[in-house]
């Protein structure tokens, strides 16, 4: 709360962590950053007291951030300066003032240095150099290279230059990047390689013990997911994991109750910018922000992002960091090109819900995940009636049975408008990648190609308008048994000849036996069982 006027004629309110240079009369300056106005030298100044010190670089960074000030001194001290340079600095300043201003130098220097920094010495075995660099090197050669780099080297030279010797290396105070112990050895070996010349190090077969090969299934499945999405035509999006709560609040239309966790953010003490103050809760905001920026250059975008979100809990010190998968597609269905120049090419067709659903199905197929069910979603960020939940009805364990993986569909028009993306429908998705990848089977069964001919039959059903097609397909598969190999919906119709409140669903059914050719009688029996099951379970009727 104390105030100080600095050399730039700005009155600054100090924080409790600010380090000051003071005398009995009060504050003279902010330590390591800038002096106070009372210390300013004018044309009438005759006597100057030089003060030189060393400052904690973390504190200097914190104070510069809090005071929103950048000075040459602050930048130098924020990187770390060795304490021994304070005395050298003040002596150099005195000498320059004597030479340039004919100053008369008073005798004596007062030095208050209660905790002088100790000399860093690293013991470097010659064998360690050979093990890391793969080259034979004598103690003399290693010492000469280090001394060329400004290091002090001490060892007893007894004429034996075998690899059993070691060097005691004194680190100069100009090299604050050199550590101690094993870390210091690695730093010195890096210096030897740099001075020796990377190009002079020959290619050799590794002579060290190979580490045991351990797989990383989590990373491998994540990389497989990336490969599959790229093969499906998407480009990876990589964005900052920092955002603002206000930015993510744009995902909620005005007056709606949010389906996203938009509270209890993990915030930064010293954010790098005003738009990166909190850890994100969702990938959607970043995907839409990047889509907004890219819309200036292209009207067709297909992107994905894999990354963590950060969900804080009151009873935990650290937040949960689940991985998420975000998808975004928008723009015309067919890109510009010579193949789309014909008279029948409809360039106005935009990507819709089913294009995104096809990408989701392609990803699940590539991961060999079965049992996916799509249910109507009610999510504030998505268009009602044009979005769906991805639900897994079976998995590798009971704990992950009937679990929601995420939501996908067309973005709510008001949300798209908030992100300036209302020119075309925006399709987006966000899935729990950890749960999704936990459903990937460890092994995959591959069946041989069929050697018997299939029998194809179509079936058209009239069901209630509220009945999902997935329920109809599930009933068909349950009744079809092993002889029913595939079910494909190829037509949905509402209109003339269809009662109000109903719809017509037409499916193509594939019957096949892997061992022998089916007879018409066998297929007819299964087909009749399917019709009866649909009637009893869903009150479905055959369409005439």
């Amino acid at each position: 709360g104390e105030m100080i006027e600095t050399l730039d004629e700005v009155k600054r309110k100090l924080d409790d962590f600010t380090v000051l240079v003071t005398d009995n009369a009060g504050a003279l300056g902010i330590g390591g950053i800038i002096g106070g106005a009372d210390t300013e030298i004018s044309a009438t100044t005759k006597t100057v007291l030089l003060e030189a010190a060393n400052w904690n670089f973390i504190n200097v960074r914190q104070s510069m951030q809090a005071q929103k000030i950048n000075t040459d001194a602050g930048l130098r001290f924020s990187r770390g300066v060795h304490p021994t340079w304070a005395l050298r600095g003040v002596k150099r300043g005195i000498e320059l003032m004597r030479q340039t201003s004919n100053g008369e130098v008073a005798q004596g220097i007062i030095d208050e240095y209660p905790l002088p920094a100790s000399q860093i010495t690293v013991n470097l075995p010659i064998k360690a150099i050979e093990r890391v660099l793969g080259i034979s090197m004598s103690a003399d050669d290693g010492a000469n290279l280090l001394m060329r780099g400004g290091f002090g080297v001490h060892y007893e030279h007894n004429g034996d230059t075998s690899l059993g010797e070691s060097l005691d290396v004194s680190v100069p105070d100009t090299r604050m990047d050199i550590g101690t112990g094993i870390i210091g050895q690695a730093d010195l070996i890096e210096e030897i390689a740099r001075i020796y010349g990377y190009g002079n190090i020959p290619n050799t077969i590794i002579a060290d013990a190979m580490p045991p090969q351990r797989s990383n299934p989590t990373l491998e499945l994540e990389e497989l997911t990336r490969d599959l999405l790229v093969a499906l035509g998407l480009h990876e999006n990589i964005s900052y994991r920092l955002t603002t709560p206000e930015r993510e609040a744009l995902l909620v239309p005005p007056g709606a109750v949010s389906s996203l966790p938009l509270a209890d953010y993990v915030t930064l003490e010293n954010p790098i910018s005003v738009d990166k103050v909190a850890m994100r809760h969702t990938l959607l905001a970043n995907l839409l922000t990047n889509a907004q920026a890219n819309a200036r250059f292209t009207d067709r975008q297909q992107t994905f992002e894999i990354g963590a979100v950060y969900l804080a809990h009151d009873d935990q010190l650290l937040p949960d960091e689940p991985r998420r998968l975000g998808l975004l597609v928008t723009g015309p269905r067919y890109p510009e090109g010579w193949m789309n120049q014909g008279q029948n090419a409809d360039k106005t067709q935009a990507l819709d819900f089913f294009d995104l659903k096809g990408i989701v199905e392609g990803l699940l197929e590539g991961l060999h995940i079965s049992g996916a069910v799509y249910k109507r979603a009610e999510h504030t960020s998505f268009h009602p009636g044009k979005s769906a939940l991805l639900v897994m009805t079976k998995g590798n364990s009971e704990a992950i049975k009937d679990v929601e993986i995420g939501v996908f569909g067309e973005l709510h028009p008001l949300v798209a408008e908030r992100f300036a993306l209302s020119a075309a429908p925006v399709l987006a998705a966000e899935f729990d990648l950890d749960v999704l990848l936990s459903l990937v089977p460890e092994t995959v069964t591959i069946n041989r190609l069929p050697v018997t001919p299939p029998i194809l039959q179509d079936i058209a059903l009239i069901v209630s308008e509220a009945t999902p097609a997935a329920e109809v397909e599930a009933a068909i598969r349950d009744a079809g048994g092993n002889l029913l190999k595939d079910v494909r919906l190829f037509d949905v119709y509402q209109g003339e000849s269809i009662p109000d409140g109903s719809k017509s669903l037409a499916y193509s059914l594939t019957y096949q036996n892997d061992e022998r050719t089916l007879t018409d009688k066998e297929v007819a029996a299964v087909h009749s069982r399917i019709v009866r099951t649909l009637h009893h379970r869903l009150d479905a009727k055959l369409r005439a």
Side-chain angles (χ1 to χ4, degrees):
E2 183 179 350
M3 302 295 296
I4 183 175
E5 183 177 356
T6 50
L7 288 171
D8 54 359
E9 299 180 350
V10 176
K11 292 184 178 180
R12 302 181 182 278
K13 185 178 181 180
L14 302 175
D15 300 285
D16 58 355
F17 53 80
T18 307
V19 176
L20 298 177
V21 181
T22 68
D23 62 9
N24 293 335
L28 300 176
I30 302 178
I33 300 176
I34 191 171
D38 293 341
T39 66
E40 185 174 11
I41 294 178
S42 67
T44 61
T45 301
K46 299 298 183 182
T47 304
V48 177
L49 173 68
L50 288 187
E51 177 265 346
N54 185 64
W55 310 95
N56 181 280
F57 68 97
I58 298 296
N59 182 269
V60 171
R61 293 180 186 178
Q62 188 178 15
S63 299
M64 291 175 66
Q65 178 75 18
Q67 295 295 333
K68 295 180 174 57
I69 181 174
N70 286 306
T71 63
D72 185 62
L75 291 175
R76 290 173 184 271
F77 282 113
S78 68
R79 298 186 179 101
V81 178
H82 198 277
T84 58
W85 281 86
L87 182 59
R88 299 178 194 176
V90 75
K91 288 182 176 181
R92 180 60 175 162
I94 291 171
E95 178 61 18
L96 289 174
M97 294 178 70
R98 186 192 66 81
Q99 293 178 2
T100 60
S101 303
N102 294 321
E104 180 182 350
V105 180
Q107 296 300 311
I109 292 177
I110 300 175
D111 187 9
E112 291 292 339
Y113 196 8
L115 296 174
S118 59
Q119 173 68 52
I120 296 179
T121 303
V122 181
N123 182 265
L124 178 61
I126 301 300
K127 283 185 177 180
I129 302 175
E130 179 178 357
R131 186 181 67 83
V132 175
L133 300 184
I135 57 177
S136 298
M137 182 170 292
S138 66
D140 287 333
D141 293 337
N144 290 334
L145 290 170
L146 288 172
M147 285 188 288
R148 286 169 57 186
F151 295 88
V153 183
H154 308 279
Y155 66 99
E156 293 184 5
H157 182 66
N158 54 12
D160 181 12
T161 58
S162 66
L163 298 179
E165 292 182 292
S166 63
L167 306 175
D168 289 326
V169 183
S170 300
V171 180
D173 53 21
T174 55
R175 298 300 304 271
M176 296 185 66
D177 58 318
I178 305 298
T180 60
I182 296 177
I183 296 177
Q185 291 181 5
D187 293 335
L188 293 177
I189 292 172
E190 182 182 0
E191 290 297 307
I192 291 174
R194 181 179 62 82
I195 300 172
Y196 183 79
Y198 297 122
N200 296 325
I201 299 176
N203 296 326
T204 58
I205 301 298
I206 186 170
D208 216 354
M210 292 292 291
Q213 181 67 31
R214 294 185 177 92
S215 61
N216 188 344
T218 302
L219 179 61
E220 291 170 1
L221 289 176
E222 183 178 309
E223 289 299 312
L224 175 60
T225 303
R226 286 189 172 92
D227 294 340
L228 291 171
L229 291 171
V230 170
L232 290 167
L234 277 68
H235 300 272
E236 184 171 9
N237 179 83
I238 300 176
S239 61
Y240 285 104
R241 303 188 180 197
L242 299 169
T243 184
T244 63
E246 295 76 16
R247 192 66 178 172
E248 292 195 347
L250 296 178
L251 294 169
V252 182
V257 179
S258 175
S259 301
L260 296 167
L262 297 180
D264 300 326
Y265 280 89
V266 178
T267 57
L268 274 65
E269 288 284 348
N270 297 305
I272 58 177
S273 63
V274 295
D275 62 336
K276 297 177 178 63
V277 299
M279 306 299 290
R280 65 189 178 188
H281 281 177
T282 175
L283 302 185
L284 291 177
N286 286 344
L287 284 169
L288 294 172
T289 300
N290 291 337
Q292 177 186 2
N294 292 332
R296 297 180 298 164
F297 310 106
T298 178
D299 57 353
R300 189 174 191 268
Q301 300 187 55
Q302 294 178 288
T303 61
F304 74 92
E305 180 169 0
I306 292 176
V309 298
Y310 302 85
L311 307 177
H313 297 278
D314 293 337
D315 56 344
Q316 294 180 194
L317 178 62
L318 297 177
D320 292 335
E321 301 181 21
R323 287 180 300 169
R324 296 283 191 263
L325 167 62
L327 308 175
L328 184 144
V329 296
T330 185
R333 176 171 290 134
Y334 303 107
E336 291 289 339
W338 64 271
M339 296 182 65
N340 302 321
Q341 299 298 323
Q343 295 181 354
N344 296 327
D346 187 357
K347 299 179 182 180
T348 63
Q349 284 190 19
L351 293 164
D352 60 20
F353 171 85
F354 295 101
D355 293 289
L356 180 58
K357 185 184 177 187
I359 293 173
V360 174
E361 291 175 337
L363 174 62
L364 296 178
E365 182 179 356
L367 294 173
H368 303 287
I369 297 176
S370 58
V373 173
Y374 305 95
K375 298 182 178 181
R376 184 183 298 273
E378 295 182 2
H379 194 286
T380 52
S381 299
F382 290 87
H383 194 300
K386 295 184 180 180
S387 57
L389 290 173
L390 174 60
V391 180
M392 306 307 298
T393 59
K394 60 181 179 179
N396 298 331
S397 67
E398 291 297 325
I400 54 177
K401 190 174 183 179
D402 296 333
V403 65
E404 292 183 6
I405 304 299
V407 62
F408 68 97
E410 184 177 327
L411 200 67
H412 195 290
L414 295 179
V415 175
E417 183 179 339
R418 286 181 153 197
F419 284 90
L421 292 171
S422 55
V426 178
L427 293 310
E430 185 168 28
F431 300 127
D432 190 326
L433 188 62
D434 290 322
V435 176
L436 182 66
L437 296 184
S438 69
L439 300 173
V440 177
E442 295 182 0
T443 59
V444 179
T445 301
I446 300 176
N447 298 321
R448 66 177 184 177
L449 293 174
V451 296
T452 58
I455 296 178
L456 305 178
Q457 285 195 3
D458 295 341
I459 184 173
L461 306 164
I462 298 177
V463 297
S464 171
E465 184 179 7
T467 302
E471 288 188 18
V472 179
E473 180 178 338
I476 293 174
R477 291 185 181 276
D478 290 342
N482 295 331
L483 296 184
L484 182 64
K485 295 300 182 182
D486 190 32
V487 179
R488 182 176 63 86
L489 176 68
F490 68 87
D491 182 61
V492 179
Y493 176 72
Q494 286 180 285
E496 189 177 350
S497 76
I498 303 298
D500 292 339
S502 301
K503 61 183 176 182
S504 170
L505 302 177
Y507 292 87
S508 174
L509 309 182
T510 302
Y511 299 97
Q512 193 172 31
N513 186 294
D514 296 331
E515 303 298 332
R516 58 183 178 80
T517 301
L518 293 174
T519 64
D520 293 340
K521 185 177 180 179
E522 290 174 313
V523 173
V526 176
H527 202 78
S528 297
R529 185 168 69 241
I530 291 174
V531 173
R532 291 194 303 271
T533 300
L534 290 171
H535 177 71
H536 290 299
R537 185 182 298 185
L538 302 174
D539 195 26
K541 299 179 177 59
L542 285 177
R543 180 181 173 187

